[in-house]
Amino acid sequence: MALPSHVKYVVIGAGIHGLSTAWHLAENLRRRGLGGGQDVLVLDKTAIAAGASGIACGVIRNNYFQPAMRRLMAHSVSVWESDPASFSYHPVGYMQISPEVMHENVASIARQQKDIGYESVFIEGEADSMAYMKGLFDDWQAKGITSVLHEKRGGYANNTKSIYGLAKKAEDEGVRIATGIKVTGFDKDASGAVKTVITDRGRIDCDFVVVGVGPWVKQIWDMLELPAAIAIKGRDGKLHEGVPMWVYWSLQEGTLGVDPMLQRTNDGKMPPVIHVDTDATLFSDVDGSVVTDRLWGIYYKPDFNFGGVQGGAMPYRIKTPADEVAVDPYGPDSPDFIVGDDFAHMWCSALAFCQKRFEGKLPLYKKEPSGGIGSFTADNFPVFDRFCENAYVIADSNHGYKMIGVGKLVAEDICGQSSELLEPFRFSRFAEGKLHPSSNSPFPWS
Ligand SMILES: Cc1cc2nc3c(=O)[nH]c(=O)nc-3n(C[C@H](O)[C@H](O)[C@H](O)COP(=O)(O)OP(=O)(O)OC[C@H]3O[C@@H](n4cnc5c(N)ncnc54)[C@H](O)[C@@H]3O)c2cc1C
């Protein structure tokens, strides 16, 4: 495709956010009689679904301790539900299975899900939790569990298929998607607004830029000359200066190469996505040694796309300063950030801890490169905001495959209809101390 010298809206990144925004923006402009897809150009340096969206486990849930996150997820789940076939969405539900240390946090999530009309069942107490889980899987055996939150909506979607589904919706609206084109800089006008997007294939003048580049956000952030370190007003009321804006975490995921049908429920149905956190000691399924005696967690689901039971465990924070982290080559191609034998051992032992059917299955773990890094903000929650007057940055802090609805809200915001769902994610929250509450989960994204 020959690049235009001018287009109204340039969207950088053909992942979940770039494509959802492009699709909704085109639709919005058309409905309002203000233009349409011909005004929107998506650029991607590699390909559609080449980033985190294309390797995501694909879990879609509401289970968040932060009220603002829950409201946003409920909105996103309704977008997933609007066209399950195009998005390759499997509405099997989601379960958060927790130890006593998380009981009160999860109880408050359950209460607030009721308030927003998000259907879930909440089971409390060790015996009732065990009985509920055995009602689903007769081989359930996880210890240290005192609550079960069973979300009836959500589930998972197949990563690349859903992104191609989004791309088709955008293209059906007339959006152009140009791949193999890397954004390398911006020219700004005297007021500081972006007037030109510079690429390795030429310059494109534009009225507005949307940035949806997932793990590469720091690179574009730097090109926009936004701050590498920020001040955060803490819960103590004091201003903490010099906090790095970006940090990377390495996600630990893999697949057990069993028949996905192995993980059916007692009544032969495909089960909800399972997420278990516990403080019970985890012993090796190979030799009985202690794997960990600290709070740990895993998630898993049968998945034909991955060819087995796929899932992950807690990510780890990459200590290297963000400037020095090699984002490329990304995902399974990275020499630095793929999971190793330790992950396989821990995760397979944890599967066996939860369900007897997984005992002795470590030899079936697929020894293929998996995992990938995510870019997290200073408080681990998303930033959705406008910078330099006309550059909208969608930085989901790695929460975001499930957030298919954010692009809809961003498109409305760009067209002048701001949503209160986005307000808690503005950049100003750091300086104002309007931080999201944090939970007792061992994951940075709960
Ligand atoms: C292993 C793993 C598992 C995950 N599992 C889940 C999950 O189960 N559920 C969930 O909700 N979230 C999950 N996430 C998080 C989720 O995948 C991301 O938050 C989300 O996909 C980010 O979407 P995005 O559109 O912002 O970016 P991406 O999908 O990463 O897309 C960004 C695109 O921008 C392009 N790009 C980058 N720089 C440039 C440039 N300079 N010029 C042009 N193009 C550029 C890239 O090529 C890429 O295609 C997971 C993440 C990982 C790594």
Side-chain angles (χ1 to χ4, degrees), residues 12-19 43-60 64 163 181-184 211-216 219-220 223 251-253 299 301 330 370-374 394-403:
I12 311 171
I16 194 100
H17 298 306
L19 291 172
L43 300 177
D44 198 290
K45 71 185 179 69
T46 310
I48 292 169
S53 307
I55 59 169
C57 175
V59 173
I60 294 156
Y64 271 97
I163 304 305
I181 295 169
K182 182 175 182 177
V183 171
T184 55
V211 178
V213 293
W216 292 268
Q219 296 173 8
I220 300 285
M223 289 176 206
L251 279 86
Q252 308 287 289
E253 294 196 346
Y299 47 95
K301 58 176 166 37
Y330 186 66
S370 60
I373 61 172
I394 305 176
D396 70 12
S397 200
N398 202 73
H399 292 271
Y401 174 82
K402 65 183 82 60
M403 292 174 154

Side-chain angles (χ1 to χ4, degrees), residues 96-144:
Q96 167 68 47
I97 299 158
S98 315
E100 193 52 25
V101 66
M102 290 172 61
H103 189 152
E104 189 38 46
N105 281 182
V106 184
S108 90
I109 295 173
R111 281 193 296 274
Q112 292 175 46
Q113 284 181 341
K114 279 209 167 45
D115 292 346
I116 62 170
Y118 194 88
E119 191 190 352
S120 62
V121 171
F122 188 51
I123 310 296
E124 295 174 272
E126 197 162 351
D128 286 356
S129 296
M130 180 60 90
Y132 190 83
M133 291 312 298
K134 276 192 176 292
L136 278 174
F137 304 109
D138 50 20
D139 65 336
W140 187 261
Q141 55 188 10
K143 297 183 190 71

Side-chain angles (χ1 to χ4, degrees), residues 208-246:
F208 206 96
V209 182
V210 177
V211 178
V213 293
W216 292 268
V217 64
K218 184 181 181 316
Q219 296 173 8
I220 300 285
W221 185 264
D222 291 348
M223 289 176 206
L224 288 169
E225 301 171 297
L226 296 169
I230 57 168
I232 300 185
K233 189 173 178 189
R235 292 182 219 291
D236 53 5
K238 291 190 187 129
L239 208 58
H240 302 264
E241 305 274 358
V243 182
M245 180 61 203
W246 305 109

Side-chain angles (χ1 to χ4, degrees), residues 306-417:
F306 281 98
V309 168
Q310 191 269 350
M314 298 93 68
Y316 68 85
R317 190 183 168 124
I318 298 168
K319 301 237 168 66
T320 316
D323 270 338
E324 296 164 33
V325 172
V327 183
D328 285 304
Y330 186 66
D333 297 329
S334 166
D336 305 322
F337 304 116
I338 49 171
V339 300
D341 293 345
D342 283 0
F343 165 77
H345 180 220
M346 180 271 164
W347 186 66
C348 291
S349 297
L351 288 174
F353 169 99
C354 294
Q355 293 184 250
K356 196 167 181 54
R357 71 191 74 178
F358 296 121
E359 287 180 0
K361 293 284 194 286
L362 175 63
L364 298 177
Y365 178 82
K366 287 192 171 187
K367 287 193 185 280
E368 59 196 11
S370 60
I373 61 172
S375 179
F376 287 65
T377 65
D379 68 353
N380 289 340
F381 291 104
V383 168
F384 306 128
D385 212 342
R386 198 182 288 233
F387 297 87
C388 312
E389 293 185 28
N390 62 348
Y392 211 113
V393 176
I394 305 176
D396 70 12
S397 200
N398 202 73
H399 292 271
Y401 174 82
K402 65 183 82 60
M403 292 174 154
I404 197 170
V406 165
K408 185 168 193 268
L409 301 173
V410 168
E412 286 166 5
D413 199 356
I414 292 170
C415 293
Q417 194 191 333

